[in-house]
Amino acid sequence: MSNESLANLLKEERRFAPPAELAATANVTAAAYAQASEDRLAFWAEQARRLSWAVEPTETLDWSNPPFAKWFADGKLNVAYNCVDRHVEAGNGDRVAIHFEGEPGDSRSITYAQLKDEVSQAANALLELGVTKGDRVAVYLPMIAEAVVAILACARIGATHSVVFGGFSADAVASRIQDADAKVVITADGGYRRGKPTALKPAIDEALAKCPEVEHVLVIRRTGQEVSWTEGRDVWWHEITTRQSTEHTPEAHDAEHPLFILYTSGTTGKPKGILHTSGGYLTQASYTHHAVFDLKPETDVYWCTADIGWVTGHSYIVYGPLSNGATQVIYEGTPDTPHQGRFWEIVQKYGVTILYTAPTAIRTFMKWGDDIPAKFDLSSLRVLGSVGEPINPEAWIWYREHIGAGKAPIVDTWWQTETGAMMISPLPGVTETKPGSAQRALPGIAATVVDDEANEVPNGSGGYLVLTEPWPSMLRTIWGDDQRYIDTYWSRFPGRYFAGDGAKKDEDGDIWLLGRVDDVMLVSGHNISTTEVESALVGHPAVAEAAVVGATDATTGQAIVAFVILRGTATDSEELIADLRNHVGKTLGPIAKPKQIKVVSELPKTRSGKIMRRLLRDIAEGREVGDTSTLADSSVMNLIQAQLPSAR
Ligand code: 6R9
């Protein structure tokens, strides 16, 4: 990448001050930045004290063997105790922990006292099956409350969980079970998606043909569908858990005890098992959830729409909210079942005050139309979060206007599976927000943008996002492959963590994420970010979603090819395409005008909603489409190809 680097094209001037009322009562104020910059380690030691430790740590960070960090290493705690028991002991056992909303409309509310009983029974069941501290347990479940119970039961007994997203294929599950060497698998007969039961157990049965080390499969009954049964191996969850005692004394584990492995696919190579440990991880997941959402556990109703199989589900459905004693909603299904207002109906039903979702969902809601959320009472919402991809400024504005009544602050949270918890985000009671920018490293976090030679870029320039100091919830390694950990994250810029994302600093020094550096386009010697061109397209009233790639071009090196989904009201025509190209030219400059614009009805996305540009590049360059195994819907590529008879 050249030094002029990722073109700094987009000019976004809109600013939104925090609501005065929120600022006046915010959990965290601007003082936190000052305190953390004065003494970063003392700041994190103080945040660690928000947790209950069986043995208080005296040491904060051991960085004597970088990049292998130890946080709070001489402390001991039980993570599940922190997420459940301590709230019951503090007199809050009657508070609802989870409002579960099934897709077919069934619902169940679970208090902290009930959660404590269920987690204890599940922990005792795992012990009965021979699971002991340090064993790995694979979890392959739909979005049901038992997923939280299963995860916490593992944490409680010190078994390391490896959650595999319920949409992954048998092969993907098998390779993850093998890599982690899991002894037990927790799954369900199936779950409800798009109005019908979807089977899960058959994928496990198929995967386990290749995983002879797995001793038991615990099966939760959710849909009641037929399952094939392997005697001696398979055990019904309800049968084994209900006969267990509701008492289980949590043992204190070392702060660095492995809590979970979570696989990230990456673009190439075998999936990386990202390892997270206990004390540092929980400290940062808990603190960021408290600070960034301004959570008031007595009055807020929090809802994170992510799947438990994604890191957002781990940190912001399980560990962050429950460690803070939150009341939260868990929804099993899709946003359009049985109707496109389902999310807003849920917000209204439970009086959700804090909503955390992804740009892909927001763009979908924009496409469905403003009239749908307008039918529901969303006045309870007071903080809105975004995660997973850069949020296009127009989607940000739509979210604020149509969901947040033009008042609720938006926190655009940048982080990764590897970072374990949020790293860059506004604080809702402090930050004057800018549509499309994650803005500033959170208190205690050190991030910057560097050029090819690892020099920090000045304000107003772009480059690579790096993290310059270790942080409590950082990954500790790649499971079983320390060298790959060093090579992937710590070698591009020695001494700094390379996140793989492009970013720019604006004139105020605020950070704007520009997408994965693998996706950056090089057009006539200029680096152009996919995010900026996509945001320009989404800024046109006819466009709901856009994905942009650089395709090899004889004259310009790469040419910009855009795939767009139109809003319901617009129709594909030569004039519209010309108008879109001009619109990008006017917004970003002539260099960023797409050479081709293709109208499609779907875009290829991962199960967590990220656009897979690699597959679109294959189409744009006329190649056979590569590995589609991590797509949410593998038929999408065929659909897109069928919609593209010729290039424009
Ligand atoms: C939490 C999560 C990590 C990658 C990350 C970046 C993208 C996530 C973002 C964002 C811009 C944000 N990303 N949040 N980009 N703004 N607020 O998504 O983890 O699945 O590991 O993905 O997602 O590219 O590097 P993970």
Side-chain angles (χ1 to χ4, degrees), residues 101-169:
E101 178 80 12
E103 198 188 73
D106 57 318
S107 61
R108 169 161 93 105
S109 294
I110 304 166
T111 65
Y112 274 96
Q114 290 167 330
L115 188 62
K116 176 172 177 283
D117 289 351
E118 291 193 23
V119 170
S120 299
Q121 287 180 311
N124 287 327
L126 289 172
L127 293 171
E128 185 187 312
L129 292 176
V131 179
T132 54
K133 180 170 176 172
D135 285 343
R136 269 80 58 206
V137 173
V139 175
Y140 186 71
L141 286 173
M143 279 298 293
I144 53 178
E146 288 83 351
V148 174
V149 174
I151 285 170
L152 289 174
C154 291
R156 194 169 183 100
I157 65 170
T160 303
H161 58 78
S162 167
V163 180
V164 180
F165 180 74
F168 280 147
S169 67

Side-chain angles (χ1 to χ4, degrees), residues 22 47 104 139 217 255 301 309 414 484 555 575 577 597 607 644:
L22 201 160
Q47 304 322 320
V139 175
V217 179
V301 178
W414 179 89
R484 193 172 176 204
T555 30
E575 294 72 44
I577 299 300
I597 297 182
R607 295 304 294 237
L644 298 174

Side-chain angles (χ1 to χ4, degrees), residues 237-502:
W237 168 271
H238 59 270
E239 282 178 6
I240 190 168
T241 56
T242 48
R243 66 174 149 82
Q244 304 296 322
S245 161
T246 55
E247 296 296 319
H248 174 269
T249 308
E251 180 194 338
H253 305 296
D254 287 343
E256 284 296 338
H257 184 71
L259 181 63
F260 68 86
I261 302 167
L262 185 59
Y263 288 85
T264 61
S265 48
T267 41
T268 50
K270 80 171 186 137
K272 300 187 281 276
I274 303 301
L275 178 69
H276 284 289
T277 58
S278 303
Y281 169 80
L282 193 65
T283 295
Q284 193 174 330
S286 188
Y287 171 71
T288 52
H289 182 263
H290 159 84
V292 173
F293 293 125
D294 190 45
L295 179 93
K296 307 281 198 276
E298 300 80 17
T299 48
D300 275 317
V301 178
Y302 165 84
W303 182 21
C304 168
T305 70
D307 191 277
I308 210 106
W310 184 24
V311 71
T312 306
H314 285 57
S315 302
Y316 298 103
I317 294 178
V318 183
Y319 294 114
L322 296 178
S323 66
N324 288 328
T327 295
Q328 70 175 321
V329 174
I330 291 182
Y331 171 56
E332 177 182 32
T334 49
D336 54 355
T337 306
H339 58 80
Q340 294 178 332
R342 186 69 190 270
F343 269 28
W344 318 123
E345 188 177 69
I346 292 172
V347 168
Q348 177 178 288
K349 174 173 176 185
Y350 295 102
V352 172
T353 58
I354 304 168
L355 178 68
Y356 194 28
T357 193
T360 178
I362 298 163
R363 292 187 304 256
T364 303
F365 300 137
M366 285 172 76
K367 183 171 65 188
W368 289 345
D370 308 350
D371 52 317
I372 294 172
K375 288 185 205 130
F376 298 89
D377 179 4
L378 307 182
S379 60
S380 53
L381 288 168
R382 64 178 199 95
V383 178
L384 302 176
S386 174
V387 61
E389 285 184 298
I391 177 164
N392 320 98
E394 289 318 311
W396 193 104
I397 294 285
W398 187 91
Y399 194 25
R400 186 180 159 93
E401 292 300 319
H402 294 279
I403 307 304
K407 290 193 301 247
I410 295 178
V411 287
D412 174 10
T413 62
W414 179 89
W415 59 292
Q416 308 176 296
T417 305
E418 292 87 341
T419 70
M422 297 168 183
M423 302 293 282
I424 305 177
S425 169
L427 288 175
V430 179
T431 315
E432 179 173 87
T433 51
K434 302 176 176 178
S437 175
Q439 294 187 270
R440 184 171 174 188
L442 288 167
I445 299 301
T448 191
V449 180
V450 297
D451 66 18
D452 260 323
E453 279 78 49
N455 302 308
E456 213 169 304
V457 303
N459 288 354
S461 301
Y464 306 93
L465 182 71
V466 293
L467 304 170
T468 56
E469 298 284 355
W471 62 99
S473 63
M474 65 193 277
L475 75 166
R476 297 304 193 256
T477 188
I478 292 173
W479 182 253
D481 201 344
D482 287 348
Q483 191 57 44
R484 193 172 176 204
Y485 167 64
I486 297 170
D487 295 345
T488 309
Y489 304 108
W490 298 92
S491 299
R492 177 70 181 80
F493 303 106
R496 287 161 178 198
Y497 173 91
F498 173 44
D501 283 338

Side-chain angles (χ1 to χ4, degrees), residues 2-226:
S2 64
N3 266 351
E4 74 183 281
S5 211
L6 292 145
N8 185 4
L9 299 169
L10 196 70
K11 296 275 175 279
E12 172 55 67
E13 305 289 349
R14 292 169 283 192
R15 302 285 180 271
F16 298 90
E21 201 185 322
L22 201 160
T25 58
N27 286 350
V28 173
T29 66
Y33 293 109
Q35 189 204 343
S37 62
E38 200 168 294
D39 189 340
R40 197 172 58 88
L41 295 183
F43 171 83
W44 283 119
E46 185 180 322
Q47 304 322 320
R49 286 193 287 273
R50 298 183 66 254
L51 306 178
S52 300
W53 295 80
V55 178
E56 291 270 343
T58 61
E59 182 179 88
T60 302
L61 170 65
D62 175 355
W63 193 234
S64 57
N65 179 30
F68 299 94
K70 290 183 183 154
W71 283 85
F72 312 117
D74 61 348
K76 286 181 191 287
L77 80 173
N78 186 287
V79 168
Y81 172 85
N82 273 275
C83 291
V84 183
D85 308 43
R86 66 167 174 156
H87 307 310
V88 180
E89 287 171 15
N92 295 318
D94 291 340
R95 184 187 297 161
V96 172
I98 297 170
H99 289 296
F100 170 72
E101 178 80 12
E103 198 188 73
D106 57 318
S107 61
R108 169 161 93 105
S109 294
I110 304 166
T111 65
Y112 274 96
Q114 290 167 330
L115 188 62
K116 176 172 177 283
D117 289 351
E118 291 193 23
V119 170
S120 299
Q121 287 180 311
N124 287 327
L126 289 172
L127 293 171
E128 185 187 312
L129 292 176
V131 179
T132 54
K133 180 170 176 172
D135 285 343
R136 269 80 58 206
V137 173
V139 175
Y140 186 71
L141 286 173
M143 279 298 293
I144 53 178
E146 288 83 351
V148 174
V149 174
I151 285 170
L152 289 174
C154 291
R156 194 169 183 100
I157 65 170
T160 303
H161 58 78
S162 167
V163 180
V164 180
F165 180 74
F168 280 147
S169 67
D171 278 350
V173 184
S175 65
R176 285 160 176 78
I177 290 176
Q178 286 162 355
D179 188 75
D181 200 7
K183 188 170 176 179
V184 163
V185 178
I186 306 177
T187 189
D189 49 0
Y192 292 97
R193 271 193 93 73
R194 297 188 198 289
K196 52 178 193 296
T198 317
L200 281 175
K201 175 112 187 334
I204 294 297
D205 291 331
E206 191 185 331
L208 293 196
K210 294 187 215 155
C211 306
E213 312 76 23
V214 171
E215 295 169 12
H216 290 290
V217 179
L218 264 169
V219 188
I220 295 167
R221 190 149 72 196
R222 166 65 183 142
T223 59
Q225 65 204 110
E226 280 287 314

